[in-house]
Amino acid sequence: MLGIAAGQLLFGPVSDKTGRRRPLFASFILYLLSTVACLFARNIYLLIGFRLLQGLGAAGSIVISRSVATDLFRGKELLAFLALIAAVQGIAPVVAPVAGGVLLLFTDWRGIFFFLGVLGLAVSGAGAYLKESLPSRKRANVPVIHIFKFFIPVVKNRRFMLYVALLSFSMAIMFAYIASSPFIFQEHYGVSPVAYSLFFAGNALALTAGNVLSAKGKAPRRTLKYSVTGLFVCTLWTGVLLLSDASIIYFCLALFLSLFFAGATFPVSTHLALALEEKYKGTASAILGASTFFAGGIVMPLSGLGNILHSTAYAMTGSALTALFLLFAIHKTDKI
């Protein structure tokens, strides 16, 4: 998680200087080499180190995909494309644990990394067909050593950072769910692995539906207001059910609705944030993506402290409440 966050802060500004293709393929190479290294790691310490490098490499395609979208599209088309990216990036961490569990029925942990290497080769091959989306005239004309100064004007953009914070806390709800759901469903509620996979798949559909419907909204700010408000109400409901040890049926319904509104929040908040930064799009995308994964890296272990039902409830409702306050702050800023 931390590798993916830090990698975006590296590849985003570099892509504003050099264009999108070269740093994208550099990230592919780093990912593939670190994946091979993971396969042959002799102890857990080396494996963790190589996993950090693997995260750095994986970050390139995450941050550059958003930058390419802002290069090629505007307005409604940009929102629709960002919704597609958000759907993929939202569903992937939800589906991945289930896919990993299925693979472990046929192989061991090294087989997982072998599969990740094959997947990386496939993505790299597909990337070979991509054309450069940032023409030379639009690239940052500064020495390479100065590219990280791009962060200064972007971070000083208060409205942009409010949207970044709102997206990060909304994503934190999803990461808390991902971290705690295996224990809540299988250990607390006692569902079978197959039933848990079905619950996981249903919640992935909730995220997707939220992404798709939010992209169809005609007024992004109004859509954001409704989605964040709905996210707070449903997440608060989910937290109350966890604290009261309610029936799994009510918990699943509340969780489904929470993830639906989370999915609706992701693309529209990303769109409104990136629309505020025209000059350094790669850097803006890096800050946006890194913040969400830093938030995930913090909230995932917090959701497992002590009684997992209670810690997950506090992590999710606290994140939702903070997102709601940020929505009010954005509304106040827009009026100034």
Side-chain angles (χ1 to χ4, degrees):
M1 294 289 287
L2 295 178
I4 289 175
Q8 292 186 67
L9 296 177
L10 169 65
F11 288 109
V14 169
S15 73
D16 281 336
K17 164 67 179 174
T18 65
R20 312 302 186 199
R21 276 180 60 88
R22 281 188 284 179
L24 179 63
F25 279 96
S27 72
F28 287 157
I29 292 170
L30 177 59
Y31 173 83
L32 291 171
L33 290 176
S34 58
T35 302
V36 172
C38 287
L39 267 170
F40 295 99
R42 294 184 177 181
N43 58 61
I44 187 62
Y45 305 105
L46 286 174
L47 179 62
I48 291 172
F50 293 140
R51 283 285 285 167
L52 178 67
L53 293 176
Q54 193 181 34
L56 288 169
S61 56
I62 294 174
V63 65
I64 292 174
S65 63
R66 284 192 301 268
S67 303
V68 169
T70 58
D71 293 338
L72 300 178
F73 302 108
R74 292 290 183 276
K76 193 71 177 177
E77 287 185 332
L78 177 58
L79 178 56
F81 199 83
L82 289 173
L84 177 62
I85 293 175
V88 173
Q89 293 182 355
I91 292 173
V94 175
V95 173
V98 178
V102 172
L103 284 172
L104 284 175
L105 296 175
F106 308 99
T107 184
D108 59 5
W109 66 271
R110 294 184 189 276
I112 295 288
F113 284 101
F114 179 80
F115 174 80
L116 290 176
V118 172
L119 190 61
L121 283 173
V123 172
S124 302
Y129 293 94
L130 295 177
K131 297 180 180 179
E132 178 59 61
S133 63
L134 186 65
S136 300
R137 67 181 184 279
K138 292 186 177 181
R139 298 175 191 174
N141 188 22
V142 297
V144 174
I145 197 172
H146 293 157
I147 59 176
F148 294 103
K149 291 182 179 180
F150 301 164
F151 284 109
I152 298 174
V154 179
V155 171
K156 285 183 176 180
N157 187 335
R158 184 170 181 268
R159 291 176 66 201
F160 171 78
M161 292 306 296
L162 284 172
Y163 282 114
V164 169
L166 189 151
L167 176 63
S168 298
F169 280 100
S170 300
M171 288 282 285
I173 295 170
M174 184 190 74
F175 284 122
Y177 153 72
I178 291 171
S180 62
S181 63
F183 305 97
I184 293 174
F185 277 104
Q186 295 188 78
E187 293 188 11
H188 178 71
Y189 285 113
V191 304
S192 67
V194 174
Y196 171 64
S197 298
L198 293 175
F199 285 126
F200 228 60
N203 290 328
L205 289 176
L207 281 167
T208 305
N211 276 286
V212 172
L213 290 178
S214 69
K216 294 183 180 296
K218 295 182 179 180
R221 285 184 175 82
R222 186 185 305 167
T223 301
L224 183 66
K225 180 177 70 173
Y226 292 148
S227 64
V228 173
T229 303
L231 178 62
F232 170 72
V233 172
C234 294
T235 303
L236 179 62
W237 181 26
T238 304
V240 170
L241 293 174
L242 284 171
L243 292 173
S244 60
D245 193 11
S247 165
I248 188 173
I249 297 175
Y250 297 116
F251 170 66
C252 287
L253 177 60
L255 186 61
F256 182 90
L257 292 174
S258 296
L259 292 172
F260 169 82
F261 283 111
T265 302
F266 299 161
V268 70
S269 55
T270 302
H271 172 247
L272 291 170
L274 293 178
L276 294 171
E277 186 51 60
E278 285 292 323
K279 188 173 183 181
Y280 303 119
K281 297 175 185 176
T283 303
S285 179
I287 293 172
L288 195 69
S291 298
T292 59
F293 280 92
F294 275 129
I298 293 170
V299 78
M300 291 181 85
L302 290 178
S303 64
L305 294 176
N307 185 317
I308 197 166
L309 297 181
H310 294 179
S311 57
T312 301
Y314 295 141
M316 292 180 70
T317 54
S319 298
L321 180 60
T322 306
L324 187 65
F325 279 131
L326 288 165
L327 179 68
F328 290 141
I330 289 170
H331 182 66
K332 183 178 180 180
T333 303
D334 288 342
K335 285 187 172 182
I336 296 175

